Amino acid sequence: QLPDIEKIEQDILNHKNEILAQLSTIVQKVVDMACEQAMQVNWKKLQTVEPASDYIKDLTKKILQMYSVLFDANLTHEELGLIFGRIFQYLKTQLGVSIHSIPTGNENAIKQMRNDVRFLLNNIRKQIPVAQEHKDNMENSLNSMAQNLRQGF
């Protein structure tokens, strides 16, 4: 009798972990799409600086929507931390690579990238109060990206 219960508990745990991994994968795809959109911007000829580019607004909106859905699903703090830890790590890596591969050559482009990083960081900081240790890690990463932008790479 007891081994059957343990097997069911393990099956439930495995299924839940698969769902959490799939949710992380969904957001990773959103991050990839945002990075592709960032690469499509003509940074060298950018004339005006906006508070945030469309690609970063869209990315921020989707990350916040995912948080809202997961929060409403009554996931535990640890589960939310696990998912957003993965998301933040992936975002740090992919967005960092994208930003560093963009040929700027234009002060407005550097200012716009700074605004984009700041927009994302401020919205995550304000609206996702989960997994502070992951947010701190992400903030450090994004601040590092912003610092690189200030230095002009």
Side-chain angles (χ1 to χ4, degrees), residues 27-81:
V27 176
Q28 288 174 354
K29 288 179 182 179
V30 169
V31 170
D32 289 342
M33 287 178 12
C35 291
E36 288 173 22
Q37 289 173 341
M39 298 301 290
Q40 300 303 315
V41 173
N42 190 347
W43 295 99
K44 286 186 178 185
K45 294 184 179 180
L46 192 68
Q47 297 297 314
T48 60
V49 179
E50 302 291 329
S53 299
D54 289 340
Y55 79 93
I56 208 76
K57 288 178 191 174
D58 189 49
L59 174 61
T60 302
K61 178 182 172 186
K62 289 177 179 173
I63 289 173
L64 296 175
Q65 285 173 334
M66 176 63 85
Y67 175 76
S68 180
V69 166
L70 295 176
F71 185 79
D72 290 345
N74 293 319
L75 294 178
T76 66
H77 180 80
E78 290 77 21
E79 291 164 336
L80 287 169

Side-chain angles (χ1 to χ4, degrees), residues 28 32 42 56 81 92 95 100 139 142 148 150:
Q28 288 174 354
D32 289 342
N42 190 347
I56 208 76
K92 166 190 161 188
L95 194 57
H100 290 294
E139 287 180 21
L142 291 175
N148 288 339
R150 279 191 288 282

Side-chain angles (χ1 to χ4, degrees), residues 75-143:
L75 294 178
T76 66
H77 180 80
E78 290 77 21
E79 291 164 336
L80 287 169
L82 177 66
I83 292 170
F84 279 90
R86 289 179 187 169
I87 290 168
F88 293 163
Q89 183 61 40
Y90 192 75
L91 185 58
K92 166 190 161 188
T93 302
Q94 292 305 104
L95 194 57
V97 167
S98 291
I99 284 175
H100 290 294
S101 66
I102 291 172
T104 57
N106 175 338
E107 186 61 30
N108 283 340
I110 294 171
K111 288 177 184 176
Q112 185 62 61
M113 286 184 222
R114 268 191 234 142
N115 284 357
D116 292 346
V117 169
R118 192 176 302 122
F119 180 85
L120 178 66
L121 178 61
N122 288 340
N123 279 281
I124 287 174
R125 186 184 295 141
K126 282 190 255 181
Q127 299 183 45
I128 301 181
V130 66
Q132 191 63 39
E133 64 277 6
H134 296 294
K135 272 182 36 178
D136 289 346
N137 183 25
M138 181 160 179
E139 287 180 21
N140 289 338
S141 300
L142 291 175
N143 285 332

